[in-house]
Amino acid sequence: MSEQSRRPNRPAKPYRRPQKDPVRILAFDALRAVDERDAYANLVLPPLLRKARENGDFDARDAALATELVYGTLRRQGTYDAIIAACVDRPLREVDPPVLDVLSLGTHQLLGTRIPTHAAVSASVELARVVLGDGRAKFVNAVLRKVARDDLDGWLEKVAPPYDEDPEDHLAVVHSHPRWVVSALWDSLGGGRAGIEELLAADNERPEVTLVARPGRSTAEELLNEEAAVPGRWSPYAVRLAEGGEPGAVEAVREGRAGVQDEGSQLVALALANAPVEGSDETWLDACAGPGGKAALLAALAAERGAFLLASEKQPHRAGLVARALDGNPGPYQVIAADGTRPPWKSGSFDRVLVDVPCTGLGALRRRPEARWRRRPDDLDSFAPIQRSLLRTALDSVRVGGVVGYATCSPHLAETRAVVADVLKQHPDAELIDARPLLPDVPHLGEGPDVQLWPHVHGTDAMYLALIRRTA
């Protein structure tokens, strides 16, 4: 299946506003926003759910079903496209995007949930009738009845190329990832089949909600008093919420004393904070601080030592998010809007520097499943210059004896080791230090000296970290 075969970028035709089945209506609206406006589901869905609850249309079960329909459909989009393509008499690019959204929602209900076949088909046809019209509803009915003739395993045997003939294409269809992403992740794992299917499967699992207790303001023990809370795996500040746990219901989160933060992001901040530096340890920098999760944790850790944190973010609106995340931190800090490649601060000003660079986000596909379909291999070329420039500036910003943490939420080698290796060739005054001992409780960190976390191994996003000391 080609990842280019999906819906074209053309405006949707007008459709009538549905009047019934609010769960599927909301799911359809969310998918249209993702498709038409390149919105992210994790940003679109919460306000839609909140409005539905305020209007009295939803209870907790309705919200859970709507969430599953949206995220499940987006995660399995590639697989469902291949199946739908086998059931229509035209290329998918010739099927109007709103129709394809209804078909995908229906296919997910048939193949990815326990909703009975009759209910899945009839609800999808009714949704099509209201939002698309009677004629298209008949088309949806015909296609979904074909889909319903087999289960997911049966369909995969029909539409996925045999593994022995084309392993990457087979995995792309079975696990619903673009082929180039499968190839890149396979390379990042080190080749061989070990781990690749587990990683792709983990990308399609719903991620846990993980909280961070900000030091000096909250504790993991406080958060563990919440219903459905269990300890984090690796970070001493992490607490996981069982399925259905609502962060907004946690008092410490509402007050800003705790936040929502993947444990991988917490580990990156902790490793940088724990890295040994020579000399003073008074001034820290987060050079790409938006939206503020790592900056908030670093600021709290710095405050415990009496250190100052400067949080810099290029985009003013994201700098505002950083300021909100740091609001109430007990220690000294400052938030500024500045370009990390042309900084206003002097060279050698900082003892510790974090540079969490913009990237493809391939390490967070569990949370943003639609990103896998938007990214293209050419995106690597557009990110490469800024990633290298930011790391060079970070090395210039740290003093001799200080440490830079280069982090990215992507395991792609072109965004991780290739960037670090290229920049270090130009900086004989810097050296990699082993990051693994700074995360002593985390297993399976590889040969080092850098660290790559994995969803299927560590239960985190696929965060990458390299620690670099300025030597001269």
Side-chain angles (χ1 to χ4, degrees):
M1 177 200 68
S2 168
E3 54 264 29
Q4 310 291 340
S5 64
R6 184 67 169 171
R7 44 198 95 195
N9 290 324
R10 63 173 183 262
K13 295 181 179 179
Y15 57 87
R16 290 182 292 162
R17 178 58 46 188
Q19 300 299 319
K20 58 178 90 173
D21 197 350
V23 171
R24 288 169 178 82
I25 292 166
L26 186 146
F28 175 79
D29 286 344
L31 291 181
R32 292 309 310 135
V34 168
D35 200 29
E36 285 186 295
R37 298 192 279 110
D38 281 345
Y40 284 103
N42 67 329
L43 300 179
V44 166
L45 192 55
L48 289 176
L49 292 173
R50 184 166 55 251
K51 182 178 180 181
R53 286 193 293 264
E54 291 172 353
N55 292 340
D57 295 333
F58 268 38
D59 59 21
R61 292 180 61 185
D62 292 330
L65 177 57
T67 300
E68 168 57 31
L69 292 180
V70 173
Y71 278 98
T73 299
L74 290 172
R75 289 189 184 104
R76 302 302 308 218
Q77 177 180 305
T79 302
Y80 295 156
D81 278 357
I83 294 169
I84 294 169
C87 296
V88 300
D89 57 0
R90 69 194 77 166
L92 285 191
R93 63 179 177 273
E94 295 181 8
V95 179
D96 281 342
V99 177
L100 201 48
D101 279 336
V102 174
L103 287 173
S104 297
L105 279 169
T107 300
H108 180 59
Q109 292 170 72
L110 287 167
L111 305 181
T113 75
R114 296 180 179 178
I115 297 173
T117 297
H118 173 74
V121 173
S122 62
S124 300
V125 172
E126 179 58 27
L127 175 64
R129 180 171 292 113
V130 179
V131 302
L132 304 172
D134 290 339
R136 291 180 177 182
K138 294 177 181 178
F139 175 73
V140 168
N141 181 58
V143 173
L144 291 183
R145 290 190 179 280
K146 291 180 182 179
V147 173
R149 291 173 185 171
D150 215 335
D151 61 11
L152 180 60
D153 289 339
W155 273 113
L156 290 177
E157 289 183 8
K158 297 175 184 177
V159 301
Y163 182 89
D164 293 340
E165 294 181 9
D166 192 335
E168 291 179 343
D169 218 20
H170 172 88
L171 294 173
V173 174
V174 169
H175 294 287
S176 192
H177 284 64
R179 180 191 173 102
W180 76 271
V181 173
V182 173
S183 180
L185 295 178
W186 211 334
D187 288 344
S188 299
L189 285 169
R193 188 169 182 175
I196 183 62
E197 292 195 69
E198 291 82 358
L199 171 57
L200 297 174
D203 275 349
N204 289 329
E205 294 293 328
R206 181 186 301 176
E208 296 174 308
V209 175
T210 304
L211 306 181
V212 57
R214 290 168 180 158
R217 305 182 64 192
S218 180
T219 64
E221 288 72 21
E222 176 191 359
L223 299 181
L224 286 171
N225 290 326
E226 298 292 333
E227 185 178 354
V230 296
R233 294 181 178 88
W234 321 116
S235 166
Y237 306 107
V239 169
R240 295 174 288 146
L241 297 183
E243 185 172 342
E246 175 55 50
V250 178
E251 182 179 1
V253 173
R254 293 197 304 270
E255 295 175 350
R257 297 183 294 108
V260 177
Q261 186 176 32
D262 180 73
E263 207 163 353
S265 294
Q266 296 181 40
L267 293 176
V268 164
L270 289 172
L272 176 65
N274 292 337
V277 297
E278 301 168 1
S280 65
D281 190 13
E282 301 173 351
T283 310
W284 300 10
L285 169 68
D286 186 344
C288 298
K294 295 183 186 69
L297 181 52
L298 283 173
L301 294 169
E304 291 187 328
R305 306 180 196 178
F308 166 82
L309 175 76
L310 177 65
S312 175
E313 168 56 45
K314 181 179 179 179
Q315 300 296 335
H317 74 281
R318 285 171 62 86
L321 296 176
V322 177
R324 187 182 310 168
L326 270 65
D327 185 36
N329 187 73
Y333 71 88
Q334 183 181 2
V335 179
I336 64 172
D339 186 344
T341 65
R342 293 178 291 177
W345 53 82
K346 295 180 181 180
S347 299
S349 296
F350 299 96
D351 304 305
R352 300 178 191 272
V353 176
L354 175 65
V355 56
D356 183 5
V357 298
C359 67
T360 57
L362 297 182
L365 296 183
R366 304 178 303 161
R367 303 182 191 283
R368 291 187 169 182
E370 62 280 344
R372 71 187 75 178
W373 311 115
R374 293 181 184 168
R375 292 300 183 194
R376 297 289 182 266
D378 291 348
D379 292 335
L380 296 165
D381 296 331
S382 63
F383 282 119
I386 185 66
Q387 290 165 347
R388 285 161 173 77
S389 179
L390 285 166
L391 180 52
R392 284 193 296 266
T393 303
L395 287 170
D396 185 62
S397 300
V398 75
R399 63 166 178 80
V400 174
V403 175
V404 169
Y406 174 85
T408 180
C409 191
S410 170
H412 199 299
L413 294 174
E415 302 188 271
T416 58
R417 290 182 170 176
V419 174
V420 174
D422 286 352
V423 173
L424 286 182
K425 287 178 183 177
Q426 304 167 8
H427 279 268
D429 57 348
E431 64 181 9
L432 277 169
I433 62 175
D434 197 342
R436 295 171 300 168
L438 303 172
L439 301 172
D441 298 324
V442 185
H444 310 301
L445 294 180
E447 299 178 356
D450 50 1
V451 164
Q452 178 65 66
L453 301 172
W454 295 106
H456 66 299
V457 176
H458 304 104
T460 68
D461 290 344
M463 291 295 304
Y464 172 83
L465 174 67
L467 293 176
I468 307 168
R469 177 178 286 115
R470 177 85 176 271
T471 58

